[in-house]
Amino acid sequence: MDSTKLVISRGNPFSRLMLIGEAPGAMEEQIGKPFVGRSGLLLNNLLKSSGINHDKDVYICNLVKTRPPNNRPPTKKEISEHLPWLFQQIKLVDPLIIVLIGSTALRTILSTKTKITELRGVWHKWNGVYVMPIFHPAYLLRNPSKTPGGPFDLTRLDLLEVWKKHNELKTVLNSSTSFPL
């Protein structure tokens, strides 16, 4: 990779909700945080409309921590070089739920070739963690229709389901770790 500027994360590392994207773009590289360009603004709006605060309720990172040349998708080699970093992030954050943003994150984490259109909106399990794939905000920017049942609407509904499941899991976790007085 030509870029040497690391883009590690943004959000709350103590959150139990983790979002994983593909790789930083030009704006992310410049600012040093993932999802801060046009896609990031849309992601923030989608999270907000789902009741999720992008600063305190989520931890956001990417598979690859440096920008691939010419904003191209990361290669398998680049992904494999960065996966140990990602796995360490997952271990440290210890999420209850991981949201996979886009097909590259989906294919990598769930080790599948199945299209995101078939797997988004469906709960999966990975290493004991609930996983929900969603469309990448860049895809939604290219397909901006907000018609019911369209990609934008489906992504919003997926994030509503994620927040509902997150709150259910936190309630169960909190009640199981409570000590009687």
mmCIF file of all heavy atoms in Angstrom, residues 23-66:
data_model
loop_
_atom_site.group_PDB
_atom_site.id
_atom_site.type_symbol
_atom_site.label_atom_id
_atom_site.label_comp_id
_atom_site.label_asym_id
_atom_site.label_seq_id
_atom_site.Cartn_x
_atom_site.Cartn_y
_atom_site.Cartn_z
ATOM 1 N N ALA A 23 -12.318 -0.055 4.074
ATOM 2 C CA ALA A 23 -11.011 0.611 4.138
ATOM 3 C C ALA A 23 -11.239 2.114 4.108
ATOM 4 O O ALA A 23 -12.276 2.585 3.638
ATOM 5 C CB ALA A 23 -10.143 0.191 2.949
ATOM 6 N N PRO A 24 -10.275 2.890 4.592
ATOM 7 C CA PRO A 24 -10.436 4.341 4.560
ATOM 8 C C PRO A 24 -10.393 4.889 3.139
ATOM 9 O O PRO A 24 -9.722 4.329 2.268
ATOM 10 C CB PRO A 24 -9.248 4.867 5.363
ATOM 11 C CG PRO A 24 -8.425 3.707 5.763
ATOM 12 C CD PRO A 24 -9.051 2.463 5.238
ATOM 13 N N GLY A 25 -11.098 5.988 2.946
ATOM 14 C CA GLY A 25 -11.027 6.738 1.705
ATOM 15 C C GLY A 25 -10.133 7.951 1.904
ATOM 16 O O GLY A 25 -9.465 8.089 2.935
ATOM 17 N N ALA A 26 -10.157 8.859 0.933
ATOM 18 C CA ALA A 26 -9.288 10.038 0.976
ATOM 19 C C ALA A 26 -9.568 10.916 2.197
ATOM 20 O O ALA A 26 -8.641 11.346 2.885
ATOM 21 C CB ALA A 26 -9.447 10.842 -0.304
ATOM 22 N N MET A 27 -10.835 11.192 2.468
ATOM 23 C CA MET A 27 -11.188 12.042 3.605
ATOM 24 C C MET A 27 -10.811 11.372 4.926
ATOM 25 O O MET A 27 -10.306 12.021 5.839
ATOM 26 C CB MET A 27 -12.680 12.362 3.587
ATOM 27 C CG MET A 27 -13.134 13.289 4.694
ATOM 28 S SD MET A 27 -12.538 14.970 4.493
ATOM 29 C CE MET A 27 -13.571 15.512 3.155
ATOM 30 N N GLU A 28 -11.043 10.075 5.012
ATOM 31 C CA GLU A 28 -10.701 9.326 6.219
ATOM 32 C C GLU A 28 -9.192 9.354 6.460
ATOM 33 O O GLU A 28 -8.745 9.533 7.588
ATOM 34 C CB GLU A 28 -11.201 7.883 6.119
ATOM 35 C CG GLU A 28 -12.699 7.746 6.218
ATOM 36 C CD GLU A 28 -13.467 8.107 4.955
ATOM 37 O OE1 GLU A 28 -12.846 8.307 3.890
ATOM 38 O OE2 GLU A 28 -14.693 8.193 5.034
ATOM 39 N N GLU A 29 -8.437 9.210 5.390
ATOM 40 C CA GLU A 29 -6.985 9.256 5.499
ATOM 41 C C GLU A 29 -6.533 10.643 5.967
ATOM 42 O O GLU A 29 -5.667 10.765 6.837
ATOM 43 C CB GLU A 29 -6.343 8.913 4.153
ATOM 44 C CG GLU A 29 -4.834 8.935 4.196
ATOM 45 C CD GLU A 29 -4.226 8.638 2.847
ATOM 46 O OE1 GLU A 29 -4.654 9.250 1.838
ATOM 47 O OE2 GLU A 29 -3.315 7.800 2.807
ATOM 48 N N GLN A 30 -7.139 11.665 5.416
ATOM 49 C CA GLN A 30 -6.771 13.039 5.771
ATOM 50 C C GLN A 30 -7.074 13.345 7.243
ATOM 51 O O GLN A 30 -6.245 13.893 7.954
ATOM 52 C CB GLN A 30 -7.520 14.026 4.871
ATOM 53 C CG GLN A 30 -7.192 15.468 5.124
ATOM 54 C CD GLN A 30 -7.997 16.385 4.212
ATOM 55 O OE1 GLN A 30 -8.728 15.951 3.332
ATOM 56 N NE2 GLN A 30 -7.861 17.675 4.431
ATOM 57 N N ILE A 31 -8.259 12.937 7.704
ATOM 58 C CA ILE A 31 -8.698 13.245 9.068
ATOM 59 C C ILE A 31 -8.182 12.210 10.071
ATOM 60 O O ILE A 31 -7.987 12.510 11.237
ATOM 61 C CB ILE A 31 -10.232 13.386 9.115
ATOM 62 C CG1 ILE A 31 -10.635 14.620 8.302
ATOM 63 C CG2 ILE A 31 -10.756 13.477 10.542
ATOM 64 C CD1 ILE A 31 -12.107 14.826 8.150
ATOM 65 N N GLY A 32 -7.981 10.979 9.615
ATOM 66 C CA GLY A 32 -7.462 9.937 10.499
ATOM 67 C C GLY A 32 -8.536 9.147 11.223
ATOM 68 O O GLY A 32 -8.241 8.461 12.199
ATOM 69 N N LYS A 33 -9.782 9.225 10.737
ATOM 70 C CA LYS A 33 -10.884 8.480 11.348
ATOM 71 C C LYS A 33 -11.726 7.850 10.243
ATOM 72 O O LYS A 33 -11.890 8.430 9.172
ATOM 73 C CB LYS A 33 -11.771 9.407 12.175
ATOM 74 C CG LYS A 33 -11.082 9.971 13.385
ATOM 75 C CD LYS A 33 -12.024 10.845 14.184
ATOM 76 C CE LYS A 33 -11.321 11.399 15.403
ATOM 77 N NZ LYS A 33 -12.207 12.238 16.196
ATOM 78 N N PRO A 34 -12.307 6.661 10.503
ATOM 79 C CA PRO A 34 -13.138 6.021 9.477
ATOM 80 C C PRO A 34 -14.519 6.670 9.357
ATOM 81 O O PRO A 34 -15.033 7.236 10.321
ATOM 82 C CB PRO A 34 -13.256 4.578 9.985
ATOM 83 C CG PRO A 34 -13.053 4.660 11.445
ATOM 84 C CD PRO A 34 -12.130 5.821 11.683
ATOM 85 N N PHE A 35 -15.059 6.583 8.178
ATOM 86 C CA PHE A 35 -16.423 7.042 7.890
ATOM 87 C C PHE A 35 -16.648 8.496 8.308
ATOM 88 O O PHE A 35 -17.527 8.807 9.095
ATOM 89 C CB PHE A 35 -17.466 6.115 8.544
ATOM 90 C CG PHE A 35 -17.595 4.795 7.838
ATOM 91 C CD1 PHE A 35 -16.884 3.695 8.286
ATOM 92 C CD2 PHE A 35 -18.403 4.658 6.723
ATOM 93 C CE1 PHE A 35 -16.978 2.474 7.635
ATOM 94 C CE2 PHE A 35 -18.507 3.447 6.058
ATOM 95 C CZ PHE A 35 -17.793 2.354 6.509
ATOM 96 N N VAL A 36 -15.845 9.389 7.733
ATOM 97 C CA VAL A 36 -16.027 10.818 7.988
ATOM 98 C C VAL A 36 -16.315 11.603 6.711
ATOM 99 O O VAL A 36 -16.597 12.789 6.769
ATOM 100 C CB VAL A 36 -14.814 11.440 8.725
ATOM 101 C CG1 VAL A 36 -14.681 10.875 10.118
ATOM 102 C CG2 VAL A 36 -13.529 11.265 7.940
ATOM 103 N N GLY A 37 -16.257 10.949 5.568
ATOM 104 C CA GLY A 37 -16.581 11.603 4.302
ATOM 105 C C GLY A 37 -18.079 11.551 4.049
ATOM 106 O O GLY A 37 -18.888 11.453 4.977
ATOM 107 N N ARG A 38 -18.477 11.599 2.784
ATOM 108 C CA ARG A 38 -19.904 11.567 2.420
ATOM 109 C C ARG A 38 -20.585 10.310 2.949
ATOM 110 O O ARG A 38 -21.693 10.362 3.476
ATOM 111 C CB ARG A 38 -20.076 11.669 0.902
ATOM 112 C CG ARG A 38 -19.753 13.050 0.366
ATOM 113 C CD ARG A 38 -19.915 13.156 -1.145
ATOM 114 N NE ARG A 38 -21.268 12.803 -1.541
ATOM 115 C CZ ARG A 38 -21.556 12.054 -2.609
ATOM 116 N NH1 ARG A 38 -20.612 11.580 -3.384
ATOM 117 N NH2 ARG A 38 -22.807 11.776 -2.905
ATOM 118 N N SER A 39 -19.923 9.161 2.804
ATOM 119 C CA SER A 39 -20.497 7.907 3.314
ATOM 120 C C SER A 39 -20.652 7.958 4.828
ATOM 121 O O SER A 39 -21.644 7.466 5.374
ATOM 122 C CB SER A 39 -19.614 6.717 2.940
ATOM 123 O OG SER A 39 -19.650 6.474 1.567
ATOM 124 N N GLY A 40 -19.680 8.542 5.504
ATOM 125 C CA GLY A 40 -19.739 8.653 6.952
ATOM 126 C C GLY A 40 -20.869 9.547 7.428
ATOM 127 O O GLY A 40 -21.542 9.241 8.417
ATOM 128 N N LEU A 41 -21.087 10.652 6.711
ATOM 129 C CA LEU A 41 -22.201 11.538 7.074
ATOM 130 C C LEU A 41 -23.533 10.817 6.913
ATOM 131 O O LEU A 41 -24.414 10.935 7.767
ATOM 132 C CB LEU A 41 -22.164 12.812 6.231
ATOM 133 C CG LEU A 41 -20.983 13.746 6.487
ATOM 134 C CD1 LEU A 41 -20.988 14.905 5.493
ATOM 135 C CD2 LEU A 41 -21.002 14.259 7.910
ATOM 136 N N LEU A 42 -23.657 10.057 5.826
ATOM 137 C CA LEU A 42 -24.885 9.294 5.626
ATOM 138 C C LEU A 42 -25.025 8.221 6.707
ATOM 139 O O LEU A 42 -26.113 8.026 7.263
ATOM 140 C CB LEU A 42 -24.905 8.654 4.236
ATOM 141 C CG LEU A 42 -26.114 7.783 3.915
ATOM 142 C CD1 LEU A 42 -27.434 8.539 4.144
ATOM 143 C CD2 LEU A 42 -26.033 7.254 2.499
ATOM 144 N N LEU A 43 -23.930 7.544 7.030
ATOM 145 C CA LEU A 43 -23.970 6.536 8.090
ATOM 146 C C LEU A 43 -24.402 7.169 9.411
ATOM 147 O O LEU A 43 -25.261 6.629 10.109
ATOM 148 C CB LEU A 43 -22.606 5.856 8.249
ATOM 149 C CG LEU A 43 -22.508 4.796 9.354
ATOM 150 C CD1 LEU A 43 -23.456 3.635 9.087
ATOM 151 C CD2 LEU A 43 -21.067 4.310 9.482
ATOM 152 N N ASN A 44 -23.835 8.320 9.742
ATOM 153 C CA ASN A 44 -24.231 9.022 10.971
ATOM 154 C C ASN A 44 -25.727 9.310 10.981
ATOM 155 O O ASN A 44 -26.397 9.125 12.002
ATOM 156 C CB ASN A 44 -23.465 10.330 11.130
ATOM 157 C CG ASN A 44 -22.011 10.129 11.468
ATOM 158 O OD1 ASN A 44 -21.580 9.027 11.789
ATOM 159 N ND2 ASN A 44 -21.240 11.199 11.377
ATOM 160 N N ASN A 45 -26.255 9.773 9.842
ATOM 161 C CA ASN A 45 -27.695 10.072 9.758
ATOM 162 C C ASN A 45 -28.541 8.822 9.901
ATOM 163 O O ASN A 45 -29.589 8.845 10.558
ATOM 164 C CB ASN A 45 -28.019 10.800 8.450
ATOM 165 C CG ASN A 45 -27.496 12.222 8.441
ATOM 166 O OD1 ASN A 45 -27.328 12.841 9.490
ATOM 167 N ND2 ASN A 45 -27.223 12.741 7.259
ATOM 168 N N LEU A 46 -28.110 7.728 9.301
ATOM 169 C CA LEU A 46 -28.837 6.463 9.422
ATOM 170 C C LEU A 46 -28.816 5.964 10.868
ATOM 171 O O LEU A 46 -29.836 5.497 11.382
ATOM 172 C CB LEU A 46 -28.239 5.406 8.493
ATOM 173 C CG LEU A 46 -28.564 5.558 7.018
ATOM 174 C CD1 LEU A 46 -27.620 4.728 6.161
ATOM 175 C CD2 LEU A 46 -30.010 5.172 6.756
ATOM 176 N N LEU A 47 -27.665 6.069 11.505
ATOM 177 C CA LEU A 47 -27.571 5.660 12.902
ATOM 178 C C LEU A 47 -28.500 6.520 13.762
ATOM 179 O O LEU A 47 -29.262 5.991 14.581
ATOM 180 C CB LEU A 47 -26.124 5.773 13.400
ATOM 181 C CG LEU A 47 -25.128 4.770 12.809
ATOM 182 C CD1 LEU A 47 -23.702 5.164 13.152
ATOM 183 C CD2 LEU A 47 -25.435 3.355 13.258
ATOM 184 N N LYS A 48 -28.443 7.823 13.557
ATOM 185 C CA LYS A 48 -29.277 8.743 14.340
ATOM 186 C C LYS A 48 -30.758 8.437 14.156
ATOM 187 O O LYS A 48 -31.518 8.406 15.129
ATOM 188 C CB LYS A 48 -28.975 10.189 13.940
ATOM 189 C CG LYS A 48 -29.723 11.217 14.753
ATOM 190 C CD LYS A 48 -29.349 12.622 14.330
ATOM 191 C CE LYS A 48 -30.126 13.633 15.147
ATOM 192 N NZ LYS A 48 -29.787 15.005 14.743
ATOM 193 N N SER A 49 -31.177 8.178 12.926
ATOM 194 C CA SER A 49 -32.594 7.886 12.670
ATOM 195 C C SER A 49 -33.020 6.561 13.296
ATOM 196 O O SER A 49 -34.205 6.296 13.453
ATOM 197 C CB SER A 49 -32.893 7.894 11.170
ATOM 198 O OG SER A 49 -32.357 6.760 10.544
ATOM 199 N N SER A 50 -32.040 5.735 13.667
ATOM 200 C CA SER A 50 -32.318 4.450 14.324
ATOM 201 C C SER A 50 -32.191 4.554 15.838
ATOM 202 O O SER A 50 -32.309 3.543 16.534
ATOM 203 C CB SER A 50 -31.353 3.383 13.799
ATOM 204 O OG SER A 50 -31.430 3.284 12.402
ATOM 205 N N GLY A 51 -31.903 5.756 16.334
ATOM 206 C CA GLY A 51 -31.764 5.960 17.773
ATOM 207 C C GLY A 51 -30.366 5.703 18.301
ATOM 208 O O GLY A 51 -30.150 5.641 19.503
ATOM 209 N N ILE A 52 -29.402 5.557 17.398
ATOM 210 C CA ILE A 52 -28.031 5.229 17.772
ATOM 211 C C ILE A 52 -27.164 6.479 17.681
ATOM 212 O O ILE A 52 -27.131 7.137 16.640
ATOM 213 C CB ILE A 52 -27.462 4.123 16.849
ATOM 214 C CG1 ILE A 52 -28.363 2.879 16.880
ATOM 215 C CG2 ILE A 52 -26.029 3.780 17.230
ATOM 216 C CD1 ILE A 52 -28.043 1.841 15.808
ATOM 217 N N ASN A 53 -26.447 6.790 18.748
ATOM 218 C CA ASN A 53 -25.546 7.929 18.766
ATOM 219 C C ASN A 53 -24.183 7.472 18.251
ATOM 220 O O ASN A 53 -23.551 6.603 18.861
ATOM 221 C CB ASN A 53 -25.433 8.481 20.183
ATOM 222 C CG ASN A 53 -24.534 9.684 20.279
ATOM 223 O OD1 ASN A 53 -23.392 9.663 19.826
ATOM 224 N ND2 ASN A 53 -25.047 10.742 20.876
ATOM 225 N N HIS A 54 -23.716 8.078 17.156
ATOM 226 C CA HIS A 54 -22.477 7.609 16.520
ATOM 227 C C HIS A 54 -21.228 7.919 17.339
ATOM 228 O O HIS A 54 -20.164 7.370 17.066
ATOM 229 C CB HIS A 54 -22.341 8.154 15.099
ATOM 230 C CG HIS A 54 -22.165 9.639 15.027
ATOM 231 N ND1 HIS A 54 -20.955 10.248 15.130
ATOM 232 C CD2 HIS A 54 -23.067 10.623 14.867
ATOM 233 C CE1 HIS A 54 -21.102 11.549 15.029
ATOM 234 N NE2 HIS A 54 -22.382 11.803 14.877
ATOM 235 N N ASP A 55 -21.332 8.761 18.349
ATOM 236 C CA ASP A 55 -20.173 9.047 19.199
ATOM 237 C C ASP A 55 -20.114 8.137 20.416
ATOM 238 O O ASP A 55 -19.045 7.712 20.816
ATOM 239 C CB ASP A 55 -20.199 10.504 19.688
ATOM 240 C CG ASP A 55 -19.860 11.488 18.590
ATOM 241 O OD1 ASP A 55 -18.995 11.174 17.759
ATOM 242 O OD2 ASP A 55 -20.476 12.574 18.566
ATOM 243 N N LYS A 56 -21.275 7.843 21.035
ATOM 244 C CA LYS A 56 -21.231 7.099 22.294
ATOM 245 C C LYS A 56 -21.743 5.664 22.207
ATOM 246 O O LYS A 56 -21.374 4.836 23.027
ATOM 247 C CB LYS A 56 -21.981 7.849 23.397
ATOM 248 C CG LYS A 56 -23.463 7.909 23.257
ATOM 249 C CD LYS A 56 -24.105 8.587 24.473
ATOM 250 C CE LYS A 56 -25.587 8.479 24.418
ATOM 251 N NZ LYS A 56 -26.190 7.563 25.323
ATOM 252 N N ASP A 57 -22.554 5.342 21.217
ATOM 253 C CA ASP A 57 -23.180 4.015 21.169
ATOM 254 C C ASP A 57 -22.448 3.000 20.303
ATOM 255 O O ASP A 57 -22.778 1.815 20.349
ATOM 256 C CB ASP A 57 -24.625 4.126 20.667
ATOM 257 C CG ASP A 57 -25.516 4.902 21.616
ATOM 258 O OD1 ASP A 57 -25.274 4.856 22.837
ATOM 259 O OD2 ASP A 57 -26.459 5.569 21.126
ATOM 260 N N VAL A 58 -21.496 3.436 19.495
ATOM 261 C CA VAL A 58 -20.834 2.518 18.562
ATOM 262 C C VAL A 58 -19.328 2.732 18.528
ATOM 263 O O VAL A 58 -18.828 3.807 18.860
ATOM 264 C CB VAL A 58 -21.377 2.650 17.120
ATOM 265 C CG1 VAL A 58 -22.831 2.270 17.036
ATOM 266 C CG2 VAL A 58 -21.163 4.035 16.564
ATOM 267 N N TYR A 59 -18.645 1.684 18.117
ATOM 268 C CA TYR A 59 -17.211 1.718 17.822
ATOM 269 C C TYR A 59 -17.101 1.376 16.344
ATOM 270 O O TYR A 59 -17.589 0.322 15.909
ATOM 271 C CB TYR A 59 -16.476 0.689 18.678
ATOM 272 C CG TYR A 59 -14.988 0.633 18.435
ATOM 273 C CD1 TYR A 59 -14.130 1.519 19.068
ATOM 274 C CD2 TYR A 59 -14.440 -0.320 17.588
ATOM 275 C CE1 TYR A 59 -12.760 1.457 18.870
ATOM 276 C CE2 TYR A 59 -13.070 -0.393 17.378
ATOM 277 C CZ TYR A 59 -12.232 0.498 18.012
ATOM 278 O OH TYR A 59 -10.881 0.436 17.813
ATOM 279 N N ILE A 60 -16.490 2.256 15.561
ATOM 280 C CA ILE A 60 -16.442 2.099 14.110
ATOM 281 C C ILE A 60 -14.995 1.939 13.656
ATOM 282 O O ILE A 60 -14.123 2.725 14.032
ATOM 283 C CB ILE A 60 -17.078 3.312 13.401
ATOM 284 C CG1 ILE A 60 -18.519 3.523 13.886
ATOM 285 C CG2 ILE A 60 -17.031 3.128 11.890
ATOM 286 C CD1 ILE A 60 -19.162 4.808 13.396
ATOM 287 N N CYS A 61 -14.755 0.912 12.829
ATOM 288 C CA CYS A 61 -13.417 0.676 12.280
ATOM 289 C C CYS A 61 -13.557 0.047 10.891
ATOM 290 O O CYS A 61 -14.669 -0.152 10.400
ATOM 291 C CB CYS A 61 -12.598 -0.200 13.210
ATOM 292 S SG CYS A 61 -13.256 -1.862 13.443
ATOM 293 N N ASN A 62 -12.437 -0.269 10.290
ATOM 294 C CA ASN A 62 -12.398 -0.911 8.986
ATOM 295 C C ASN A 62 -11.567 -2.178 9.019
ATOM 296 O O ASN A 62 -10.737 -2.361 9.915
ATOM 297 C CB ASN A 62 -11.786 0.036 7.940
ATOM 298 C CG ASN A 62 -12.744 1.106 7.486
ATOM 299 O OD1 ASN A 62 -13.868 0.816 7.109
ATOM 300 N ND2 ASN A 62 -12.297 2.351 7.532
ATOM 301 N N LEU A 63 -11.769 -3.038 8.011
ATOM 302 C CA LEU A 63 -10.934 -4.224 7.844
ATOM 303 C C LEU A 63 -9.476 -3.815 7.667
ATOM 304 O O LEU A 63 -8.581 -4.362 8.290
ATOM 305 C CB LEU A 63 -11.340 -5.008 6.591
ATOM 306 C CG LEU A 63 -12.693 -5.693 6.533
ATOM 307 C CD1 LEU A 63 -12.943 -6.206 5.126
ATOM 308 C CD2 LEU A 63 -12.750 -6.822 7.535
ATOM 309 N N VAL A 64 -9.280 -2.852 6.781
ATOM 310 C CA VAL A 64 -7.950 -2.383 6.412
ATOM 311 C C VAL A 64 -7.756 -0.999 7.024
ATOM 312 O O VAL A 64 -8.649 -0.162 6.966
ATOM 313 C CB VAL A 64 -7.802 -2.352 4.873
ATOM 314 C CG1 VAL A 64 -6.498 -1.723 4.450
ATOM 315 C CG2 VAL A 64 -7.915 -3.764 4.312
ATOM 316 N N LYS A 65 -6.598 -0.766 7.605
ATOM 317 C CA LYS A 65 -6.343 0.464 8.364
ATOM 318 C C LYS A 65 -5.649 1.555 7.565
ATOM 319 O O LYS A 65 -5.423 2.646 8.062
ATOM 320 C CB LYS A 65 -5.504 0.168 9.616
ATOM 321 C CG LYS A 65 -6.021 -0.988 10.457
ATOM 322 C CD LYS A 65 -7.452 -0.807 10.881
ATOM 323 C CE LYS A 65 -7.921 -1.988 11.719
ATOM 324 N NZ LYS A 65 -9.346 -2.101 11.762
ATOM 325 N N THR A 66 -5.270 1.283 6.303
ATOM 326 C CA THR A 66 -4.673 2.287 5.433
ATOM 327 C C THR A 66 -5.426 2.310 4.118
ATOM 328 O O THR A 66 -6.017 1.313 3.697
ATOM 329 C CB THR A 66 -3.175 2.002 5.170
ATOM 330 O OG1 THR A 66 -3.042 0.681 4.635
ATOM 331 C CG2 THR A 66 -2.354 2.141 6.441
#
